[in-house]
Amino acid sequence: MSTNEQLIGRADIDDLEAILAVSAPDQQESIRAVKDNADAIFTWDYEKGSRPALNKLYEKAKVSMWNGETDLPWDTVVDQEEVARNNAVLAGGFGDADLTGTPFATWGDKEWTELGMEFQNWSLSQFMHGEQGALICTAKIVETVPWIDAKYYASTQVMDEARHVEVFARYLDTKLSGHYPLNAHLGLLLDDIIADSRWDMTYLGMQIMVEGLALAAFGFMHQMTTEPLLKKLLRYVMSDEARHVAFGVLTLKEYYA
């Protein structure tokens, strides 16, 4: 059995110093290569609907496509400072936390608002990077899964993920005040999922774990934000993500049975 050190590079899972020592990718790099160790699989069984649940999901995906260019009100004026202030009020700040002796103790409204704005930039940047990870992983599923119904559905998810990357990038570029690079730990997770040669691990890592967490994160932000464009964008994305998680559950339920 592999040790923690072999799997994650440290003996103690909760070694905070080692966790924080992981560095982010070079911000100057415009591309990042990750070796894909999987074989591309052809199937000559083209019978559509032999897996009815996947076929139903595929048919639903066909009629659920939306256009990020035309279906979102991009003419909405976004006041990022106001959004940050509203988010802070809804979140309740630090509540009764004692900030004495910390850098936060001297902060006023200006600093808290700036932090809120940077948190928006960071959060949506990670959503964007994660969606590109999902785009790559789903394309890998098309290549590696041996069932035609799964290949059909996965091809629709590739389109979904491309659309998600597109709209998050546009929102960051036109409505917020900056991008952040890929978080180092999210990058390690995506690397591990992409590099694994087993097609079911792509499902388990992306369709179940990452997509499930993303759905929860999108739902939380959708609930908290008062900004109408972002709210509508997230609602569209969440409707896709629910299908993506279902795709993972349906496929692995059969494969692991």
Side-chain angles (χ1 to χ4, degrees):
M1 181 180 293
S2 299
T3 65
N4 287 339
E5 197 157 7
Q6 290 171 320
L7 290 171
I8 60 175
R10 60 182 185 275
D12 182 1
I13 294 176
D14 300 319
D15 185 343
L16 183 60
E17 186 174 338
I19 293 170
L20 295 178
V22 177
S23 59
D26 186 347
Q27 297 184 37
Q28 303 305 314
E29 293 180 351
S30 60
I31 61 171
R32 180 180 183 181
V34 180
K35 185 173 178 58
D36 180 349
N37 298 293
D39 294 329
I41 303 297
F42 283 87
T43 177
W44 310 130
D45 180 2
Y46 293 105
E47 183 183 352
K48 181 177 181 293
S50 59
R51 289 175 169 81
L54 290 181
N55 185 58
K56 182 178 180 181
L57 203 61
Y58 175 50
E59 293 300 323
K60 183 176 181 180
K62 288 181 186 179
V63 297
S64 300
M65 294 287 176
W66 49 279
N67 189 329
E69 185 73 27
T70 59
D71 290 336
L72 290 171
W74 290 109
D75 57 348
T76 302
V77 176
V78 177
D79 183 335
Q80 192 180 6
E81 288 191 18
E82 182 181 0
V83 172
R85 286 192 291 269
N86 289 341
N87 288 347
V89 171
L90 289 171
F94 278 95
D96 298 326
D98 182 5
L99 302 177
T100 304
T102 73
F104 303 115
T106 60
W107 279 21
D109 290 342
K110 178 177 180 292
E111 289 79 11
W112 286 112
T113 299
E114 289 175 350
L115 177 64
M117 292 170 63
E118 292 305 321
F119 182 71
Q120 291 175 37
N121 295 339
W122 182 86
S123 298
L124 288 172
S125 292
Q126 302 317 310
F127 288 169
M128 176 182 65
H129 298 313
E131 293 293 344
Q132 186 182 177
L135 172 64
I136 291 170
C137 285
T138 313
K140 180 178 177 180
I141 288 175
V142 175
E143 284 189 301
T144 58
V145 68
W147 308 334
I148 196 66
D149 284 320
K151 288 182 184 291
Y152 285 157
Y153 176 78
S155 69
T156 70
Q157 188 176 329
V158 171
M159 184 62 202
D160 289 346
E161 306 298 2
R163 188 167 57 244
H164 298 174
V165 176
E166 172 198 346
V167 296
F168 280 125
R170 182 171 179 178
Y171 192 88
L172 280 160
D173 285 338
T174 63
K175 305 301 179 182
L176 299 188
S177 54
H179 286 216
Y180 276 80
L182 175 68
N183 173 267
H185 300 92
L186 175 58
L188 289 174
L189 177 59
L190 294 176
D191 286 356
D192 285 345
I193 295 170
I194 293 166
D196 200 292
S197 62
R198 297 163 293 180
W199 66 264
D200 60 302
M201 287 296 106
T202 312
Y203 272 94
L204 193 61
M206 180 52 65
Q207 303 298 125
I208 302 298
M209 185 165 62
V210 175
E211 294 277 8
L213 290 171
L215 186 56
F218 295 152
F220 179 75
M221 184 172 284
H222 178 269
Q223 183 179 10
M224 294 297 293
T225 189
T226 58
E227 199 285 285
L229 171 57
L230 181 59
K231 211 169 186 69
K232 188 169 186 179
L233 184 158
L234 289 169
R235 187 163 61 247
Y236 273 126
V237 170
M238 288 164 61
S239 67
D240 293 339
E241 298 293 354
R243 289 196 308 275
H244 302 170
V245 175
F247 177 45
V249 171
L250 290 171
T251 303
L252 293 183
K253 182 180 179 181
E254 175 179 345
Y255 187 65
Y256 290 156

